[in-house]
Amino acid sequence: MFIDSRGKDVHHYDYSLIQYKNILTHENYNLGFVLFSNDRKMVHAPSKINILDNCLDLKEHAGINYSIKILKEDVLENDDFLSGNISNSLSLSELYGYSSKKSIEEVYEELLGQFITLKKLRTIENEKHLFKYDKRFILNSIDGKAKELGVRNFVKKHLFPISHRQIDMAIVDKNNNPYVVSELASLHVDSFDDSLDRAIIILQQTILRDDIVKDRFLYVPKKKDVLNKLEIKRLSRAKELTKSLGFDIITDPNEEAVLERLQQYKLVS
Amino acid sequence: MVEYHSLNANIIEIILSEEAGKFFILVHAEDGKVYQVKLNAPNQKNNINEYISHHIATVVDAPVLDAKFLYLDNVEIEKLNNKLLELSLSADIHINHKNYFFGIEWKQNITSVKREKDLVKRINEASNRDKFYSLYPLDQYLKNYDRHIGNHLIVKTGNSVQYYLIDFDRIFASTNWGMMFSLFKNFDCLALKDYHHFLSSLIDNSNYDYVLKYANSFSSIEDAEITSIIENIKYIYHINDVELKLLNEWLSHRRDNMFDSCYDNIKCFKRVSQQRFKDVYRQ
C-alpha cells in the first residue's frame, strides 16, 4: 500500500536576512537573520559590530550598532514584520520560506551555518527560489499545474516578435500566437511596485501592437489570508490602475483559478 | 549668511523609490562623501525645493543634513541620461543649466523611523531633541505637506544620537509651485493627513514653548538671506522672473507673519491649554 507521508511532521518557518551594503564598494554582507515560526521569533545579529573589524572594513561602528539595536527592537516588539531598509546601509530582506522537521532552535543553528559566513549577496540571490512569494516561484507553480492538467496551449514567458516584450503567461493558438495574455506581480515582495509598473506597460503594449490578443488581465495572487498594511496599499494601487486602464485583475491564489481564467476566452476557428 | 560650496562629483547609482517613477541619484563628491540628489521631475521643481528648504532650515537652525551643490561634468551628464533612458525614467536635467545639482549628504548609517509609536522614543534618544519642534513652523512656513513618518531620521555618530528632517521636495503644497499663489497668505493648521494629526498630538504644555521659539526665529530671516536664495536659484536653475518674484513674496510675506500666525495657531494643538498660553504671550 502506498502511503503519502510528504509533509508529515514538517514545520514551516520564515526567515529574513539582515544585510549590510556598502554603497561605495557595492559589497553586501549578511550580518544576521530573523527566524519566525508560528509562535516564536529569534534574531541573530551582532550586538557590537566592532567584532567584525578583523575581516570587514566597516565604517561608523556606532551608527551600525544603533541601527541593529533599532532593528532588533522593531522585530521583537511588533507583531507585523516590516522588511526593507533600516538605515541607508542596513536592511531586512523579504521573507523566505524554510521547511524542516527540526525545531526552531535547530533551524536557527542551521541558518547560522548557512548564512553567517558573510557570503556576498550574489550568492543569496541565487537562492531566491526558496522564497514562496517570488514571481518566478509562482509562475513555475502555474506552469507545473498547467502541465498536470494538460493545458497544452499555456506558455510561460512568451516573447512577442513585434514589441520584443516578454509576457508572463499566454494562451496561444495553433500557430503559437498568443490570444490571451496575463502579467503577474507578486504582492508580497519588495519589488512589487516596479513589477506592477512593468506589467502594466507590457499589457498596454499588447493592446497597441498585437491585434491578435483578445483578452488580457493582471494577476496579483493574494498568497496570504491576512494582508498587512503595505500589501493592502499595493493591492489597492493595482486595482485602481487596472480599473483606469480597463483591464481585469485576478487575485485568486490558486493556480487552477488563473488557468481557468486564461482559458475563458474561446477562439472561434 | 548661509553659504553653499560646490564640489565635483561622480554618479554612483540611481535608486528607485517604492513609489512608481520616483527615484534619486547617489553621487560621490570630491570631499569623499556621498550625496543624494533629487532631480527635477518634468515640469516640477524637486531639486530647487530641496535647496530652498535647506537654506531656510539652516537659517532657523532646524536639523538638516549637510548639503552642497554638486557639479556633474558632461561625461557624467551623458552617463546619467543613458541610465535614465535605460530605466525609462524621466527628469528635467536642463533646468540645472550649469550642471550644478543640489545634494544632501547620504549617511550610510542614518536610520529612518518606521512606526509613529517609535518616533518619540527615538527623539528622546537624540541630543538635539529640542530641534524636533522646529518642524512645526518650518513646515508651516514652506507649506510642506509631506512630513510622514519616513521623513524623520536618526543617526548615531560616536556617542551622540542626532535627529534630522529630510525630504522637502514637495513644499509649497506641491512639487511644481502651482499652488504658490493661492497659498502664500494661508497659515491654516496642517491637518490634511493622519500624520499631521499625529504630529500635532505630540505637542502639549511642556513643549509648546519650543514651537513658538522656532516660529519666532523666522522673524529674524534677513532680507539679504532671501535675496541670496533668489540669486542662487537664478544662477543654478532656469526659472522665469514671474516665478522668482512670487517666491520672493512668499518668503518675505510669510516671514513677516510667521510668529503671529503660529501664535494664533495654538488651536492646531489640542493638548495645549489654549488660554494659558494666550495669556502668557499677550503680556
Side-chain angles (χ1 to χ4, degrees), chain A residues 66 74 88-89 193 197, chain B residues 18 20 107 109 115 117 125:
Chain A
Y66 185 68
D74 191 71
N88 287 338
S89 59
D193 285 322
D197 292 339
Chain B
E18 278 187 10
K107 285 184 181 286
N109 296 311
R115 303 171 196 265
K117 70 183 178 69
E125 288 171 348

Side-chain angles (χ1 to χ4, degrees), chain A:
Chain A
M1 187 173 73
F2 173 76
I3 299 169
D4 187 354
S5 54
R6 289 176 303 160
K8 199 181 170 193
D9 300 327
V10 168
H11 305 290
H12 298 285
Y13 301 100
D14 285 313
Y15 69 93
S16 165
L17 296 170
I18 301 169
Q19 298 175 317
Y20 176 84
K21 179 183 181 185
N22 184 325
I23 196 74
L24 286 176
T25 61
H26 297 278
E27 286 172 297
N28 295 280
Y29 307 106
N30 295 321
L31 296 183
F33 57 82
V34 185
L35 175 63
F36 298 87
S37 68
N38 282 338
D39 54 358
R40 289 184 64 188
K41 46 191 160 187
M42 296 175 80
V43 181
H44 177 84
S47 52
K48 295 282 178 200
I49 204 75
N50 319 37
I51 58 168
L52 296 172
D53 259 356
N54 58 351
C55 54
L56 295 180
D57 180 24
L58 297 172
K59 309 277 188 225
E60 300 175 30
H61 294 149
I64 304 174
N65 289 334
Y66 185 68
S67 308
I68 291 174
K69 177 198 128 184
I70 289 175
L71 178 154
K72 282 181 180 170
E73 269 180 30
D74 191 71
V75 169
L76 295 173
E77 291 174 10
N78 295 289
D79 291 335
D80 58 331
F81 170 77
L82 298 179
S83 63
N85 286 353
I86 304 299
S87 71
N88 287 338
S89 59
L90 199 74
S91 63
L92 276 166
S93 74
E94 298 159 357
L95 283 176
Y96 299 86
Y98 196 102
S99 298
S100 173
K101 291 187 177 179
K102 295 178 180 169
S103 69
I104 189 167
E105 286 82 5
E106 289 168 314
V107 169
Y108 178 92
E109 290 301 323
E110 277 185 3
L111 292 182
L112 207 59
Q114 283 181 42
F115 297 118
I116 311 308
T117 49
L118 301 174
K119 286 179 188 171
K120 298 280 166 66
L121 188 63
R122 189 181 300 276
T123 318
I124 301 306
E125 279 177 349
N126 289 341
E127 296 176 33
K128 219 175 174 180
H129 63 274
L130 288 170
F131 183 43
K132 60 189 174 188
Y133 303 133
D134 188 81
K135 178 171 169 170
R136 197 176 44 177
F137 185 91
I138 298 171
L139 268 178
N140 285 343
S141 305
I142 296 168
D143 194 37
K145 183 57 79 176
K147 287 189 174 77
E148 185 189 318
L149 297 174
V151 185
R152 290 184 182 174
N153 57 348
F154 172 83
V155 177
K156 182 184 77 172
K157 292 285 177 194
H158 174 86
L159 183 69
F160 279 98
I162 304 169
S163 59
H164 296 288
R165 288 280 191 172
Q166 208 174 43
I167 196 126
D168 288 336
M169 296 179 282
I171 296 291
V172 295
D173 63 17
K174 58 187 178 193
N175 299 318
N176 213 28
N177 291 319
Y179 59 95
V180 181
V181 293
S182 177
E183 273 288 296
L184 189 158
S186 177
L187 195 56
H188 315 291
V189 298
D190 290 345
S191 56
F192 174 79
D193 285 322
D194 289 341
S195 185
L196 175 66
D197 292 339
R198 270 196 299 273
I200 293 292
I201 289 169
I202 291 170
L203 286 174
Q204 279 181 302
Q205 284 194 348
T206 60
I207 291 179
L208 296 173
R209 302 193 188 190
D210 296 278
D211 294 341
I212 192 163
V213 174
K214 303 296 179 198
D215 186 16
R216 55 185 64 75
F217 65 91
L218 179 72
Y219 184 42
V220 182
K222 280 202 283 188
K223 291 282 184 185
K224 294 179 187 170
D225 291 338
V226 181
L227 300 182
N228 64 32
K229 246 165 125 177
L230 183 62
E231 288 163 343
I232 291 168
K233 199 174 145 195
R234 286 170 176 164
L235 186 58
S236 136
R237 182 170 166 256
K239 283 182 175 171
E240 275 171 30
L241 266 174
T242 47
K243 191 179 172 190
S244 67
L245 295 167
F247 302 139
D248 273 358
I249 179 169
I250 306 297
T251 58
D252 195 316
N254 296 322
E255 292 88 3
E256 284 180 43
V258 71
L259 284 167
E260 205 170 287
R261 176 64 181 78
L262 279 162
Q263 295 174 94
Q264 203 169 297
Y265 184 87
K266 301 293 176 202
L267 206 59
V268 182
S269 52

Side-chain angles (χ1 to χ4, degrees), chain B residues 25-281:
Chain B
I25 60 173
L26 292 182
V27 302
H28 189 207
E30 58 183 315
D31 61 356
K33 291 180 180 175
V34 175
Y35 292 85
Q36 176 197 32
V37 174
K38 286 187 180 177
L39 299 173
N40 293 306
N43 303 315
Q44 296 180 31
K45 296 185 173 63
N46 316 63
N47 194 254
I48 310 173
N49 288 351
E50 287 285 352
Y51 159 64
I52 296 167
S53 317
H54 192 275
H55 196 132
I56 293 293
T58 308
V59 174
V60 299
D61 198 28
V64 285
L65 290 152
D66 187 24
K68 298 277 189 306
F69 277 101
L70 291 320
Y71 178 78
L72 301 177
D73 65 21
N74 287 337
V75 175
E76 289 296 310
I77 293 287
E78 194 183 338
K79 204 164 91 182
L80 176 61
N81 275 325
N82 289 339
K83 196 74 191 160
L84 293 175
L85 205 62
E86 189 187 310
L87 295 168
S88 304
L89 297 170
S90 42
D92 192 348
I93 294 174
H94 304 294
I95 197 168
N96 301 58
H97 62 112
K98 287 190 166 68
N99 291 9
Y100 286 108
F101 297 83
F102 186 73
I104 308 272
E105 189 183 353
W106 175 262
K107 285 184 181 286
Q108 282 252 42
N109 296 311
I110 205 154
T111 307
S112 60
V113 181
K114 285 189 164 189
R115 303 171 196 265
E116 286 185 348
K117 70 183 178 69
D118 294 335
L119 182 62
V120 174
K121 190 159 60 171
R122 297 280 91 88
I123 290 166
N124 284 336
E125 288 171 348
S127 51
N128 65 341
R129 66 182 73 86
D130 295 351
K131 291 191 177 187
F132 165 77
Y133 302 102
S134 65
L135 79 84
Y136 298 89
L138 181 63
D139 285 349
Q140 175 62 264
Y141 179 75
L142 295 167
K143 281 288 177 197
N144 175 26
Y145 289 173
D146 198 27
R147 182 66 56 214
H148 58 76
I149 194 66
N151 286 340
H152 305 263
L153 296 186
I154 298 280
V155 67
K156 186 169 185 181
T157 314
N159 289 324
S160 164
V161 175
Q162 296 286 314
Y163 167 80
Y164 292 104
L165 295 165
I166 54 149
D167 205 358
F168 288 90
D169 65 331
R170 297 182 202 194
I171 56 171
F172 312 128
S174 69
T175 47
N176 65 5
W177 298 13
M179 303 284 283
M180 212 185 222
F181 184 74
S182 59
L183 283 178
F184 90 97
K185 289 184 179 171
N186 178 306
F187 288 89
D188 292 351
C189 303
L190 292 182
L192 300 164
K193 303 270 176 72
D194 286 347
Y195 53 76
H196 290 137
H197 297 291
F198 164 71
L199 285 171
S200 61
S201 76
L202 300 181
I203 300 302
D204 59 22
N205 292 342
S206 69
N207 49 35
Y208 185 60
D209 268 336
Y210 291 109
V211 177
L212 284 177
K213 182 197 118 187
Y214 275 102
N216 196 31
S217 67
F218 282 81
S219 317
S220 50
I221 299 174
E222 293 176 9
D223 283 341
E225 207 69 68
I226 293 175
T227 307
S228 160
I229 292 173
I230 301 293
E231 290 302 318
N232 283 344
I233 291 175
K234 263 161 90 173
Y235 183 74
I236 303 285
Y237 307 99
H238 270 305
I239 295 288
N240 70 49
D241 289 344
V242 177
E243 286 183 315
L244 280 177
K245 188 166 175 283
L246 190 54
L247 173 64
N248 199 344
E249 281 172 18
W250 175 292
L251 298 176
S252 307
H253 175 83
R254 294 183 75 79
R255 170 198 60 188
D256 298 340
N257 292 279
M258 198 58 200
F259 183 75
D260 287 345
S261 304
C262 280
Y263 171 67
D264 288 340
N265 273 0
I266 191 170
K267 61 182 182 293
C268 307
F269 306 104
K270 308 283 184 235
R271 293 177 60 211
V272 176
S273 308
Q274 311 286 304
Q275 200 52 47
R276 180 183 148 197
F277 275 90
K278 284 270 179 192
D279 291 344
V280 169
Y281 284 95

